[in-house]
Amino acid sequence: MTADLPELSIAIIGMSGRFPGASNVKDFWRNLANGVKSIHFFSDDELLAVGVTSEQLQDPRYVKAGTLLEDVDLFDASFFGFTPREAEIMDPQSRLFLECSWETLEEAGYDPNRYEGLIGVFAGKASSGYRTHNILTNPDLVDLVGELQIGINNELDSLPLWVAYKLDLKGPSVSVQTFCSTSLVAVHVACQSLLAYDCDMALAGGVALQFPLEAGYWYMEGGIPSPDGECRAFDANANGSIMSNGLGVVLLKRLEDAVRDGDYIYAVIRGSAASNDGIARAGFTAPSVLGQSAVIAAALGNAKIDPETISYVEAHGTGTPLGDAVELSAMFKVFRQNTDKKGFCAVSSVKPNIGHLDRAAGVVNLIKVALAFQNKQIPPSINFEKPNTEIDWGNSPFYVNTELQEWKSNGLWPRRAGTSAFGLGGANAHVVLEEAPSLDPSSPSRPHQLLLLSAKTQATLEAMTSNLTTFLQSNSTCNLADVAYTLQVGRGEFNYRRMLVCHSAPDAAESLAMSDPQRVLSLHQTYRNRPVAMMFAGVGDHYLHMGRELYESEMVFR
């Protein structure tokens, strides 16, 4: 099977994020598929409560719109070994990115403390508004902890370094800063590092939080932000976007290694490229057709893919009349070098849904495309009513996809897509993706499996138990051996533990749902005629060892 894999390709094997209106990737996809707009329009009372003045509220340039993230102020400091004071002075962007990095590794089934290869981190974040609005306004705190510690916990360079330090990752840790293209450039650099064998897996992404979070913004004519809090990508009435809050992280691995190791693969990165427009444009912040078309062509060349085989492009799509026209013109220029076919490639933008996520915009595009591959559907691009008249849609290879549609395959080549991110200052990035290869199912295993759960607190252990129960109830036909393997190998070993010996997913879900270990143990007398799971909960190694002994001898109460 590996002989048929595309060369020099990278697999996306894990994803995590925080998005407006969605605290995880699953909810994010649900919102996208349903065309949900996650822009919040604040009441005057909400804005007054965070310090916006009455005079500002009356100013027509002040736009009372923004995006909200859940639990930005929360952080599991003790889990990562931070003191409360250390957590207090750390930029929430770094705190959230650290949590999502751990989640991404867990979601992919890897415990960084037991993984023998090198894991790199490539990431960037927005300037720390938290330091400006929440720390420097508290001189007593500044005097107490000192400017050095405040800088270490808030500087741009520190983001990937904190992840590497706290998760004990020994691959390259590189801060990437290219404005709006930051996180997609980070993905490109991570791919290059993997292909150069500088690391064996790589976390890549970006984060952006605006402070204060619960506030609107000032509109300035000629800027990116829109005057009404709406983004209308590719529309004739497009007048800008809304700067937003969120983050995304992906875990990358060389495709041949991912297939060999049996990883779940969301999508395959066939090729990527990064470049700059140079001086051939109207100004430092202006986009360039030549620069954008060059980076798209370079990514396609690296992927060795004909653009006619691409059926979906997740555009940068800022919803500005000039930006949209330049981007579509650049794509048109590249595609027309190889095909005269019209209207075969869907184009979409996530910014009307959730706004412009600044440094995280590119990786969020990538996550959206990976989820589209997973679900074999192309989500709608909302807020599109009348096409931008600066774009020659009649002769274009592209059409704006306005409804959730099945992503059909023609059977001649795999489903393929592209995504772009263009930063202020002309920093461009483009990634070409392909659906995951078909892999053989897991091999048969022994009739009974040992499920191990491990957490740092009793409350977390109960939450893990609940999450596993929900998963097993929703995936009753899953291969339980795969679940057991991931729980044993791909999770950290902590003091609070629970074990379960079972023979099927429904059997495990039923027993886990009872949660009371003593009650489960008593069931072996009541239900003698069918297999009943055995479960212990406790602190330390005793129960874990007991479970392993039972597993090795294939014992189960009847």
Side-chain angles (χ1 to χ4, degrees):
M1 179 177 295
T2 55
D4 298 325
L5 297 176
E7 297 180 358
L8 304 180
S9 294
I10 303 297
I12 302 174
I13 63 171
M15 303 190 300
S16 180
R18 303 282 189 275
F19 317 90
S23 58
N24 55 61
V25 168
K26 182 179 179 180
D27 291 344
F28 179 51
W29 172 256
R30 184 182 300 113
N31 286 347
L32 292 174
N34 292 324
V36 174
K37 185 191 304 180
S38 299
I39 309 299
H40 182 79
F41 290 88
F42 298 100
S43 68
D44 286 356
D45 288 342
E46 286 178 310
L47 295 171
L48 289 170
V50 297
V52 180
T53 67
S54 299
E55 291 75 16
Q56 290 174 325
L57 293 179
Q58 299 305 314
D59 193 318
R61 297 173 299 165
Y62 188 79
V63 184
K64 304 172 185 178
T67 59
L68 302 176
L69 292 185
E70 293 183 2
D71 301 331
V72 172
D73 57 329
L74 302 182
F75 179 58
D76 195 347
S78 62
F79 181 87
F80 294 103
F82 287 101
T83 67
R85 178 68 71 193
E86 288 172 330
E88 181 183 7
I89 64 172
M90 174 170 271
D91 185 357
Q93 294 181 118
S94 298
R95 300 194 311 232
L96 287 176
F97 195 86
L98 179 57
E99 287 187 338
C100 282
S101 295
W102 176 268
E103 287 178 13
T104 302
L105 287 165
E106 267 209 341
E107 198 259 348
Y110 284 96
D111 174 10
N113 294 314
R114 286 188 282 176
Y115 180 67
E116 295 180 353
L118 295 175
I119 303 176
V121 189
F122 304 82
K125 66 175 182 176
S127 298
S128 179
Y130 181 77
R131 172 165 58 179
T132 302
H133 294 282
N134 295 69
I135 296 179
L136 297 184
T137 55
N138 187 343
D140 291 338
L141 178 62
V142 174
D143 290 340
L144 179 64
V145 300
E147 293 184 1
L148 175 61
Q149 289 302 316
I150 291 173
I152 289 173
N153 283 276
N154 290 272
E155 289 290 350
L156 300 176
D157 293 343
S158 68
L159 178 66
L161 303 176
W162 274 117
V163 175
Y165 175 59
K166 287 297 182 179
L167 302 188
D168 194 23
L169 311 182
K170 299 179 177 66
S173 53
V174 180
S175 177
V176 179
Q177 296 298 148
T178 58
F179 288 111
C180 314
S181 60
T182 289
S183 56
L184 202 62
V185 172
V187 168
H188 168 69
V189 176
C191 290
Q192 297 303 303
S193 183
L194 286 164
L195 295 175
Y197 286 80
D198 290 335
C199 55
D200 301 294
M201 293 196 299
L203 292 164
V207 55
L209 297 179
Q210 316 294 320
F211 284 88
L213 291 172
E214 298 86 5
Y217 61 90
W218 291 97
Y219 167 72
M220 181 177 294
E221 188 173 355
I224 293 177
S226 74
D228 58 3
E230 297 281 0
C231 177
R232 303 175 179 85
F234 320 118
D235 194 87
N237 294 318
N239 54 9
S241 189
I242 173 173
M243 301 310 293
S244 187
N245 303 295
L247 74 150
V249 186
V250 294
L251 183 63
L252 308 176
K253 194 175 188 180
R254 289 181 291 272
L255 177 60
E256 60 181 354
D257 294 347
V259 171
R260 178 200 65 206
D261 296 340
D263 296 319
Y264 179 83
I265 301 173
Y266 284 95
V268 174
I269 295 176
R270 286 290 306 269
S272 63
S275 70
N276 195 280
D277 292 332
I279 200 172
R281 47 198 161 116
F284 180 77
T285 62
S288 163
V289 172
L290 290 177
Q292 292 185 15
S293 61
V295 78
I296 295 170
L300 286 165
N302 292 335
K304 298 182 174 64
I305 280 180
D306 187 324
E308 189 173 331
T309 67
I310 292 177
S311 51
Y312 167 37
V313 171
E314 180 62 23
H316 190 54
T318 56
T320 59
L322 175 62
D324 287 354
V326 167
E327 180 171 9
L328 267 295
S329 296
M331 290 163 53
F332 185 101
K333 181 180 178 67
V334 175
F335 275 59
R336 275 292 174 258
Q337 293 177 356
N338 296 79
T339 179
D340 293 326
K341 191 176 178 181
K342 301 176 184 178
F344 67 89
C345 184
V347 64
S348 182
S349 172
V350 75
K351 291 176 178 61
N353 300 86
I354 61 173
H356 188 340
L357 265 66
D358 194 12
R359 269 67 165 187
V363 73
V364 170
N365 281 6
L366 189 76
I367 289 172
K368 178 182 175 182
V369 175
L371 291 170
F373 278 120
Q374 183 187 39
N375 291 277
K376 295 181 174 54
Q377 293 176 310
I378 301 177
S381 193
I382 65 173
N383 282 3
F384 180 81
E385 296 178 357
K386 184 179 179 182
N388 185 324
T389 56
E390 297 297 318
I391 300 169
D392 185 8
W393 295 101
N395 294 311
S396 173
F398 311 104
Y399 67 95
V400 179
N401 181 57
T402 57
E403 296 182 355
L404 179 68
Q405 64 165 291
E406 178 188 356
W407 194 351
K408 296 180 180 179
S409 173
N410 62 7
L412 300 177
W413 50 73
R415 295 174 181 84
R416 289 171 176 161
T419 186
S420 298
F422 307 122
L424 294 178
N428 306 318
H430 189 79
V431 174
V432 178
L433 299 107
E434 184 174 283
E435 65 182 329
S438 298
L439 303 179
D440 294 331
S442 302
S443 58
S445 182
R446 63 180 69 205
H448 295 93
Q449 302 296 332
L450 173 66
L451 306 186
L452 301 177
L453 288 84
S454 179
K456 285 195 174 184
T457 67
Q458 185 66 39
T460 306
L461 181 63
E462 298 307 326
M464 291 181 66
T465 301
S466 177
N467 291 340
L468 180 58
T469 302
T470 300
F471 172 81
L472 294 172
Q473 289 171 339
S474 303
N475 298 271
S476 59
T477 60
C478 69
N479 188 331
L480 197 62
D482 289 344
V483 177
Y485 179 85
T486 299
L487 290 174
Q488 293 176 43
V489 177
R491 295 292 183 268
E493 295 179 336
F494 306 117
N495 284 339
Y496 287 81
R497 303 178 181 186
R498 177 165 291 154
M499 56 142 291
L500 174 70
V501 178
C502 51
H503 69 93
S504 68
D507 174 36
E510 179 183 355
S511 299
L512 286 168
M514 297 176 182
S515 73
D516 182 352
Q518 296 304 319
R519 183 178 177 188
V520 175
L521 285 173
S522 69
L523 290 177
H524 77 275
Q525 294 296 336
T526 307
Y527 298 94
R528 286 181 175 273
N529 296 325
R530 65 181 180 87
V532 175
M534 185 184 68
M535 180 167 59
F536 295 90
V539 180
D541 292 334
H542 172 68
Y543 297 111
L544 180 61
H545 292 158
M546 182 183 295
R548 284 175 175 164
E549 290 170 3
L550 284 167
Y551 183 59
E552 290 166 1
S553 62
E554 296 189 281
M555 289 177 59
V556 52
F557 284 100
R558 294 185 180 277

